[in-house]
Each structure stands twice: as C-alpha cells, then as structure tokens.
Amino acid sequence: MNTENTPINTNVKHNRAGRILLAVLLILILLFTAAGIFLFGINKWQVQVTLKGDETVRLEYQEPFEDPGAEAVFTGTLFDLPAFDDLISRWWDVLDTRPEVKATGNVDTNELGSYMVSYEASAYGRTGTAHRVVIVEDTTPPEITLKTKEDYYTLPGHPYEEEGFEAVDLCDGDLTESVESREEDGVVYYTVKDRSGNEATAERKIFYDDRTAPVIDLKGGDVSFYVGESWKDSYSAEDDAEGDVTDKVKVEGSVDSSKAGTYTLTYTVEDNFGNKSEVKRKVTVKGIPVNDESKAGSGKVIYLTFDDGPGKYTEDLLATLKKYNVRATFFVTHGFPAYEDVIGKEAKAGHTVAVHTYTHDYATVYASTDAYWNDFNKMNDIIEKQTGKRTTLFRFPGGSSNTISANYSSGIMSKLVKQAEEKGYSYYDWNVSSGDAGGTTSPSGVYSNCVAGVSGRDASVILCHDIKSYTVEAMDDFIEWALKEGYTFLPLTAYSPKAHHGVNN
Ligand code: ZN
C-alpha cells in the first residue's frame, strides 16, 4: 500500500513546488511593474531644458544675435529617498543623461519686433522644451547733421535762412523731411523723432552780421532856386538790416538861401555794424536875373499866376510875356478843351504849368478827398500829355482858404493840405489879387490893382485869370511898369513863396 502511495506523494510534491515558483514569478513581475511605474511614471523622470542667459533678451536694431543656448538633463528621483537617488544617479552617469538641445525660431535683427526661440531635447522617450523671447528694439535716436555755408550770416532783425540739415536714423533711414525747426533768441532748435519715439535735437547759433551800409536817398537830388526862395532839406536813409535809419543821418554844411552861391551838404550815416555811407548834395542859390544888372539880387520878385485857362486869350498873353522875356505860371483846367494844346506852348516858352483841377467844379472836386485827387490826376494826365511831364505844383479852386468846400465836405481842406504834403506836392495861394475875378472888368482896373498890390512887397504872387480879356490886355502896361521899377518876374518853383492864406475848412 505504501509503495502504491509513494508515486502519488511524489506527484503532489512536484505540483506544490511548481505553484510556489509560479507565485514567486508573479510577485517578481508585479515588483518590476511597480518599479517601472516608479521609475518612469510616478517619480517624473524627465528631460529638463535650462536656458543659458536670460529668458528675455533685448537687442538693439541690427545688433547680431548670439544665442547663449540651453542645456538639457535627463533627471528624476526614485522613492524620494536621497541616499537611494544618489546611488541611482551614479548608475545613470554611465548612461546618456545630457541629451542634445535643438534650437528653433528665427531672429531677424533687421526687423523690429519680438521673436521666440524654442529649445528642445529628448531622451528615453521623454522630451523637454524651454523658450526665450528676443526683443529687437531701437533705442538709438536719429542723428541730425547741420550744414554750414562758408562765410554765412544773417542780417540782425531778420529771420534765419536755413543753410541746410540732414537727419539719418539707423532704423528709419533718412528723416530729413521730419525735422522740425524753430528760431528763438538767435538760436535755431531742431528736433526729430524716429518711429520708436527716440528724439534727436540739435542747435545752431545764428551768426548775425551786416556788411551793407545804409542807402541815403536825397529827395530832389541837386537843387537850385533863386535867392529869397525857401528850400526845405528832405532825405531818408534805409539800412538792409535796421530799416529806416533816417534819424541817424548827420548833415554837414548849410545853405544860406539869402545869398547866391553853390553850397555842398554832406550826409553821412552809420549802421550798428559800422558800415558807413556818405552822399553829397549840391545846392545852388541863384541870383535873381533882372534886366537891369545893377538891381540883381534886390529880392523884388513878381510871380504872375494865371488861373482857369488855357482859353481864348492865352496865346495873346504868351506873346506879351515873350515880348518882355518874362516868365509866369499857369494853373490850368480842362475848361476849354479846344485850347488844350496851348498848355504845351506855355511849357515850351519856359513858363510853369501847374494843376488847377480838371473840372474846377466845387461840387465835384470837394465831394471827397478821393474825388479831389481823381480830378487832380485827370488834369495832370493832360499836362503830361502836353508837356511830357507831370507836376507837383497846384492851386486849389477857390484857394486853400475857401469855405465853399464846406458845403460839400466838412474839413476837406485840412485833409487835402495834409495829403498834399505827404505826396510831396506844393500848393500856392496869392498875396496880390488883380481883382479880375469879380470887382474889376477893365484893363486899367487890373493894372492899378496889380501896381498897388506889388508896391512895397519883395515877393508878390499875383492872382490873374488868362480867360479874361481885360486881364490879358492889362499885362503889357503892367509888365513894362514893373520892369522899369526894378522888379523881376519869375515862374513858380517848388521853392518859391507859397503865399498861403490859411485853411478855413
Ligand atoms: Zn480858378
């Protein structure tokens, strides 16, 4: 029975050992699986990528980008036990724990902006990454270059005229067009900004200089007039930098208008920069020409003046004046257009032709100052046509003291007198009347009024009208008488006595 049982027992023993072996194998498999989970799963074995240098790199425009790179390590822990990890890491040393890092991403330093560079490394089925931001920026301001011209200067008190400039930015290129400039207290300030807002400034100190002397303008140039006449010096001076410098003009020399002779006046002026100019004027004071030389310079002068013509009798008058070689003055109008050409004959004979207005109509000429000068200029146009030149001499219709003008425009005479002076015009009244405008209608009446009027006067300005036959008739006798008495007849000039009455309106 025992023998029978033995094999049976042996079989039982075999089966038990197999089961134990199987169980051990199962346990080992479980252990390795757990270790595997610890190694690669739960305990985070990984590839760590670490940047070299900063996470954010700032680069100036066009500054080359030198990537500092990154490094990678395959790392992890086991059971979180340092001693054990130390052991494990020694084991790892023999393996590849420093995988190669690959960088991707493009940095264009010719373009402003932010760029991303990515770093990646892999080992044992694990991958790690890291990123770096590269900012390409422009912090450099543009550069302004000021151009200068040789020997350049600005007139004091004048704005600076630009010599030129350039502005260049590394990033934006030519910014010359964007430069703004302003001038203040002798300095020009320039500013320009690039598109990144970097501002450049420059300054230019203006060099002021004045190398041109003032110009003196002598009104009338060289002048000549008769003894006893008056002359008022008039000049102005203009400097390129300072403008009107008339006040700075110094006049040397003087004129004695009571003594015939040639006088020289010297005008000098100097600007603030020491530029001087000098001009001279010759002033000739002429002796009064008289038929009787022994009476030269006696000062007894008659200025015959004839208004309202030319007319029907004017040519007869010219003949009488010619007969005695006497010169007179005609204040002409457009009253008798048929005789207009006589104006030319008057001038040709050496008489003075002056304006007495075109219409001689009070309501027209004294309506306004503009109306007056319009009418005046119309007559001057005719004078210019007949004589070849315009005149600055005139007589107001009714004289400067007339009050009839107040009927048309209050205060007009005061305004006209002032405007005439501003224009450099001279107006004449009279201090002797022939009476031919009212009281007298005969040659003998005119004659006696004239004789009485000039007697005892050094300078007589006689009011006559060449449109009156009796006045023209009276002249032969009157001139003959006056010449015998030693009077000299002269035509009016700008320097002659004006015989002003005084303004009443
Ligand atoms: Zn008149």
Side-chain angles (χ1 to χ4, degrees):
M1 289 284 280
N2 282 342
T3 17
E4 273 183 355
N5 285 340
T6 303
I8 293 162
N9 283 345
T10 306
N11 277 348
V12 169
K13 273 181 189 171
H14 261 273
N15 283 348
R16 193 178 287 156
R19 280 190 200 119
I20 291 165
L21 194 68
L22 199 69
V24 168
L25 273 172
L26 279 169
I27 288 162
L28 279 174
I29 288 164
L30 280 170
L31 278 172
F32 274 109
T33 307
I37 290 164
F38 275 120
L39 280 172
F40 297 110
I42 296 166
N43 282 323
K44 299 168 186 164
W45 289 90
Q46 60 184 321
V47 174
Q48 265 179 7
V49 178
T50 311
L51 295 177
K52 291 181 191 171
D54 297 331
E55 203 177 321
T56 303
V57 172
R58 290 179 174 276
L59 285 180
E60 190 63 16
Y61 178 76
Q62 285 186 336
E63 181 188 339
F65 174 55
E66 278 160 26
D67 191 352
E71 52 191 9
V73 59
F74 183 70
T75 183
T77 60
L78 196 64
F79 308 123
D80 247 346
L81 298 170
F84 198 76
D85 288 342
D86 203 37
L87 196 74
I88 295 291
S89 69
R90 243 174 274 154
W91 174 51
W92 281 126
D93 279 349
V94 299
L95 299 173
D96 179 14
T97 57
R98 298 203 169 271
E100 193 190 338
V101 177
K102 276 181 187 160
T104 55
N106 180 43
V107 175
D108 183 0
T109 62
N110 287 314
E111 283 289 340
L112 300 182
S114 289
Y115 300 88
M116 174 81 80
V117 180
S118 298
Y119 303 90
E120 197 181 284
S122 299
Y124 306 106
R126 300 274 143 168
T127 298
T129 57
H131 304 283
R132 188 197 313 275
V133 174
V134 178
I135 299 169
V136 177
E137 60 187 359
D138 176 21
T139 62
T140 312
E143 216 168 276
I144 300 175
T145 311
L146 301 180
K147 294 179 181 175
T148 53
K149 291 178 183 166
E150 206 186 328
D151 210 21
Y152 194 79
Y153 64 94
T154 300
L155 287 174
H158 287 63
Y160 170 72
E161 238 173 80
E162 187 56 56
E163 286 160 89
F165 52 78
E166 260 175 10
V168 177
D169 185 62
L170 190 66
C171 191
D172 295 349
D174 190 347
L175 288 178
T176 306
E177 295 286 309
S178 309
V179 174
E180 286 176 9
S181 68
R182 71 188 165 86
E183 185 186 331
E184 201 181 302
D185 297 332
V187 179
V188 185
Y189 298 92
Y190 303 85
T191 52
V192 68
K193 271 185 187 172
D194 64 18
R195 80 180 124 123
S196 303
N198 301 301
E199 189 181 67
T201 61
E203 282 181 28
R204 186 201 296 272
K205 201 171 179 327
I206 301 170
F207 175 64
Y208 289 105
D209 202 1
D210 176 9
R211 298 172 189 179
T212 312
V215 176
I216 302 173
D217 177 26
L218 299 180
K219 305 279 186 291
D222 287 344
V223 296
S224 66
F225 51 88
Y226 290 108
V227 164
E229 293 184 338
S230 62
W231 172 69
K232 199 176 158 231
D233 196 1
S234 178
Y235 53 84
S236 63
E238 185 90 12
D239 185 56
D240 58 346
E242 295 163 48
D244 189 344
V245 288
T246 305
D247 288 351
K248 291 185 172 180
V249 175
K250 287 180 183 142
V251 185
E252 263 178 65
S254 61
V255 175
D256 183 354
S257 61
S258 68
K259 221 166 156 185
T262 299
Y263 303 85
T264 301
L265 297 177
T266 305
Y267 305 75
T268 52
V269 68
E270 186 176 342
D271 66 20
N272 288 335
F273 282 72
N275 301 300
K276 282 183 210 174
S277 63
E278 180 187 296
V279 290
K280 289 177 190 292
R281 187 205 301 269
K282 219 169 82 179
V283 180
T284 307
V285 179
K286 298 182 283 187
I288 295 172
V290 287
N291 294 8
D292 183 348
E293 284 296 327
S294 67
K295 286 170 181 157
S298 69
K300 288 166 75 176
V301 180
I302 293 169
Y303 300 90
L304 281 173
T305 68
F306 298 95
D307 292 9
D308 300 359
K312 203 172 167 183
Y313 315 110
T314 308
E315 293 221 52
D316 291 344
L317 175 61
L318 289 176
T320 305
L321 295 172
K322 194 180 177 188
K323 175 178 163 192
Y324 294 103
N325 194 24
V326 157
R327 291 190 293 156
T329 301
F330 293 88
F331 290 103
V332 298
T333 70
H334 187 60
F336 306 93
Y339 299 95
E340 219 163 75
D341 64 315
V342 180
I343 291 173
K345 293 176 183 173
E346 291 166 353
K348 213 172 172 188
H351 305 294
T352 293
V353 174
V355 174
H356 194 39
T357 71
Y358 183 86
T359 60
H360 200 289
D361 177 54
Y362 293 126
T364 302
V365 301
Y366 294 134
S368 69
T369 55
D370 280 350
Y372 184 85
W373 294 116
N374 283 341
D375 191 283
F376 178 102
N377 287 329
K378 265 168 90 177
M379 196 61 226
N380 223 350
D381 290 343
I382 294 171
I383 291 173
E384 186 177 23
K385 194 180 156 208
Q386 293 295 333
T387 70
K389 58 181 183 183
R390 303 178 81 79
T391 181
T392 58
L393 314 185
F394 70 102
R395 176 173 282 163
F396 289 107
S400 67
S401 60
N402 83 79
T403 50
I404 195 165
S405 56
N407 297 342
Y408 311 105
S409 181
S410 175
I412 191 170
M413 296 314 296
S414 304
K415 287 179 202 158
L416 290 173
V417 161
K418 192 164 170 275
Q419 288 169 356
E421 196 183 345
E422 286 163 4
K423 289 169 190 280
Y425 290 1
S426 302
Y427 69 94
Y428 299 81
D429 289 320
W430 56 90
N431 54 20
V432 174
S433 175
S434 67
D436 66 352
T440 310
T441 53
S442 67
S444 60
V446 169
Y447 174 86
S448 50
N449 284 340
C450 289
V451 168
V454 303
S455 296
R457 268 181 209 281
D458 284 343
S460 301
V461 180
I462 310 180
L463 173 69
C464 304
H465 295 83
D466 52 323
I467 56 168
K468 309 281 186 181
S469 59
Y470 39 89
T471 303
V472 172
E473 278 173 42
M475 282 304 123
D476 198 310
D477 288 348
F478 173 65
I479 292 167
E480 193 179 0
W481 169 85
L483 290 173
K484 269 186 196 151
E485 291 296 314
Y487 288 93
T488 295
F489 290 89
L490 289 176
L492 288 172
T493 70
Y495 313 117
S496 306
K498 310 289 188 290
H500 284 169
H501 295 163
V503 171
N504 296 312
N505 173 31

